Amino acid sequence: MSQRWLIATLAFFAFFNAYTLRICLSMAITKMTVLLNSTEKTIDETCPEFDDKAVKSNVTIHGGTFEWSEYTQGIILSSFYWGYVCTHIPGGFLAAKYGAKSVLGLGILFTGLCTIATPAATQTGGAKALIFIRFLMGAFEGVIQPGMSCLLAQWIPSGERSFVSSFVYSGIRLGILISSIVSGLIMSKGNSWPWIFYAFGGMTIIWYLFWVIFCHNNPRESPYISEEEKNYLLSEMEKDTHEEHAPFPWKRALTSKAFLATIIMQTGYDFSTYTILSDLPKFMHGVLKLPVQLTGYASSMHNISAWLFGTLMSWVSDKLIIKNYVSITNVRKINVFISSLGPGVMLVLATYMGCNVVGAVALITIGLTLTGSSIPGLKVNVLDLSPNYAGELMGISNGMGAFMGILAPYVVGVLTPNQTFMEWRLIFWIGTIIYLVATLNFIIFGSGDVQKWNDLPSGKSKKFNKESVKLIKMQNIRSAESQ
């Protein structure tokens, strides 16, 4: 089979496993904790649970084992990102130096092993142990996005970049979907939340065996690739991707308006993304009062529609680029606009639906469906700007965005102590304003063109060029003398 599609398939399941491991706690925590709501006896801004009236006593307690406040839960959910931000930039440079195969593969494997250890660690050491193990998981997963950009830059030509990248990144969607649904099914069987971590951690170990055997850093290293495909890939990518190039141009990259626009857009996009990943199940369960099994479906069904929408937009984007109907820059800007402002508006509107649960879930699903176009918009942009330094650029931009993974759960924990519509409305309004500012900046300064600093010569190239110039001068002198 086509080796670049084999690599894409393995990469798809890399993201699938990474996000099942990351997200499963967001579902499990709804059953791990005792629900404590300290409010005065009044009409609460949450929906009734089945036939109950929306009137609460001073303290409501049900289910769970651990008595963690909303603040503590926010710290636990954000602790993953404390480690996550630390390894993004090192991960990009390690992948560029030692190859994405080892860096990315080991990052996911160790995350899976930590996931398997999560139940025992939490039952033994409580919140502190869980925070520590989630920190380690974040550190191991921090190398994945930079490593993936480095890998795709070596395997995927520019004319296929939107569609193949969309397929690879759709593993994130499927991972979130499966993690949410399977977690809900597991938790519906009594106090069985530890099996969530055992199941997804075990799947990761199986994936890693296939990764070690079949994944290779570039077409030159693959023993399975045909000569025809190898020659095609090398000829298509040699103009922008080189085996040897200069060290990462820190000053030029960090003063590039196009790259700075990508960083700002990634940071703005990630605030709402991490809010949804970490806390949407809590909104569904705590405010809309959906049972935990229905919470899994309601908070994840958008992943199917977003995947389909993203695939469609990626196919359309590649067609527009190949046929020169629209420039790469404008394709990226159109997709970014759709994937940011659409979700922001829909999420805000959902909080005005009251206890019309079907209407609220429908608006949330429509809004999050539109995030599918973020892949042919934002995610592939570092490959556009600099294929040679794609891993390093992703490490920097996604690393900056990962700070939102720390901030978003903390903000939600602080601003939603009672899990009411008013509190969540404020959260979604903040996210929408951040979306707007970042999107306008990207539309003004963003670019899809290869930057000049992508083709800086390596030290060897400089030496070769000097020797070549010297030799040419000597030949010219001898020619003149002979005449």
Side-chain angles (χ1 to χ4, degrees):
M1 65 179 296
S2 166
Q3 289 304 295
R4 64 185 182 277
W5 275 103
L6 175 61
I7 296 296
T9 303
L10 291 169
F12 169 92
F13 283 106
F15 273 140
F16 172 87
N17 283 285
Y19 274 76
T20 58
L21 302 175
R22 184 189 303 196
I23 299 305
C24 60
L25 179 64
S26 297
M27 285 295 296
I29 202 168
T30 62
K31 276 295 183 182
M32 293 168 66
T33 56
V34 176
L35 182 61
L36 294 173
N37 286 323
S38 298
T39 60
E40 296 181 2
K41 189 172 183 178
T42 183
I43 301 296
D44 196 356
E45 281 203 348
T46 60
C47 297
E49 194 165 3
F50 298 107
D51 294 327
D52 294 344
K53 295 180 179 179
V55 179
K56 290 190 174 182
S57 303
N58 287 344
V59 179
T60 302
I61 304 177
H62 65 78
T65 303
F66 304 100
E67 296 185 4
W68 296 333
S69 66
E70 289 295 329
Y71 175 81
T72 301
Q73 292 179 51
I75 296 296
I76 291 170
L77 291 172
S78 67
S79 61
F80 175 94
Y81 300 98
W82 302 350
Y84 194 61
V85 299
C86 295
T87 55
H88 258 75
I89 295 177
F93 284 88
L94 288 173
K97 184 174 182 179
Y98 298 108
K101 173 182 177 177
S102 298
V103 173
L104 194 159
L106 290 174
I108 297 178
L109 175 65
F110 288 135
T111 306
L113 296 176
C114 287
T115 301
I116 294 172
T118 295
T122 306
Q123 290 166 344
T124 302
K128 291 183 179 179
L130 181 56
I131 289 170
F132 176 71
I133 205 164
R134 291 290 292 182
F135 172 85
L136 290 180
M137 290 174 64
F140 290 132
E141 282 211 6
V143 304
I144 295 174
Q145 292 264 14
M148 188 64 75
S149 292
C150 190
L151 186 70
L152 295 180
Q154 295 294 324
W155 277 97
I156 311 302
S158 59
E160 302 175 12
R161 192 169 291 158
S162 296
F163 188 77
V164 176
S165 296
S166 179
F167 168 73
V168 170
Y169 277 87
S170 66
I172 295 174
R173 303 286 182 182
L174 187 62
I176 297 170
L177 175 69
I178 296 301
S179 180
S180 300
I181 293 175
V182 172
S183 297
L185 292 172
I186 291 174
M187 289 189 296
S188 66
K189 308 296 181 182
N191 191 28
S192 54
W193 60 264
W195 285 99
I196 296 173
F197 301 97
Y198 302 147
F200 293 123
M203 288 171 57
T204 301
I205 296 174
I206 297 172
W207 165 85
Y208 183 72
L209 297 176
F210 286 93
W211 180 262
V212 169
I213 297 171
F214 294 110
C215 181
H216 296 88
N217 291 312
N218 56 62
R220 300 178 189 86
E221 294 183 9
S222 175
Y224 309 116
I225 192 171
S226 67
E227 285 298 316
E228 181 182 0
E229 185 180 13
K230 180 190 288 187
N231 292 334
Y232 166 72
L233 291 176
L234 294 179
S235 64
E236 283 290 311
M237 303 171 71
E238 65 181 356
K239 63 178 181 178
D240 294 324
T241 307
H242 315 303
E243 284 190 85
E244 294 180 354
H245 48 76
F248 183 72
W250 284 98
K251 183 177 180 180
R252 297 194 184 195
L254 296 181
T255 56
S256 166
K257 291 181 180 179
F259 182 49
L260 290 175
T262 301
I263 293 175
I264 293 171
M265 189 65 240
Q266 184 72 60
T267 303
Y269 182 84
D270 280 348
F271 178 85
S272 292
T273 298
Y274 289 131
T275 299
I276 292 162
L277 289 180
S278 298
D279 294 291
L280 186 59
K282 293 172 66 177
F283 173 73
M284 298 286 192
H285 186 63
V287 179
L288 299 181
K289 290 298 190 296
L290 287 174
V292 67
Q293 188 171 346
L294 289 180
T295 296
Y297 290 111
S299 61
S300 61
M301 65 174 64
H302 69 272
N303 288 290
I304 298 176
S305 54
W307 171 35
L308 296 174
F309 182 69
T311 302
L312 172 64
M313 291 301 295
S314 298
W315 179 80
V316 171
S317 297
D318 278 343
K319 289 295 182 184
L320 293 174
I321 291 169
I322 291 172
K323 293 183 179 294
N324 292 319
Y325 291 151
V326 183
S327 68
I328 295 177
T329 295
N330 287 333
V331 165
R332 302 301 179 229
K333 290 181 178 181
I334 292 168
N335 280 296
V336 163
F337 180 86
I338 294 171
S339 66
S340 56
L341 294 186
V345 171
M346 292 297 177
L347 288 171
V348 169
L349 290 177
T351 62
Y352 289 92
M353 294 299 291
C355 289
N356 182 355
V357 176
V358 174
V361 172
L363 286 172
I364 291 171
T365 303
I366 293 170
L368 298 183
T369 295
L370 299 177
T371 62
S373 62
S374 65
I375 297 172
L378 178 62
K379 285 298 182 183
V380 301
N381 192 229
V382 294
L383 280 75
D384 297 325
L385 299 180
S386 178
N388 278 326
Y389 303 110
E392 293 93 327
L393 295 186
M394 179 60 82
I396 295 170
S397 62
N398 216 57
M400 294 297 292
F403 278 104
M404 297 298 102
I406 298 174
L407 182 62
Y410 177 79
V411 169
V412 172
V414 171
L415 297 182
T416 62
N418 301 308
Q419 292 290 304
T420 67
F421 277 115
M422 287 295 292
E423 292 171 348
W424 274 95
R425 189 174 298 156
L426 176 61
I427 293 294
F428 288 142
W429 265 114
I430 292 172
T432 300
I433 293 171
I434 293 174
Y435 264 150
L436 177 62
V437 173
T439 302
L440 291 176
N441 182 75
F442 188 84
I443 289 174
I444 295 171
F445 298 110
S447 175
D449 299 328
V450 176
Q451 302 298 291
K452 293 180 180 179
W453 39 269
N454 175 70
D455 294 313
L456 294 175
S458 65
K460 292 182 180 179
S461 298
K462 290 179 180 178
K463 182 179 179 181
F464 175 78
N465 289 338
K466 289 179 180 179
E467 291 176 351
S468 299
V469 171
K470 185 177 180 181
L471 180 61
I472 292 171
K473 287 181 178 179
M474 291 179 63
Q475 289 175 341
N476 290 337
I477 292 171
R478 288 173 183 173
S479 177
E481 290 176 347
S482 64
Q483 290 176 358

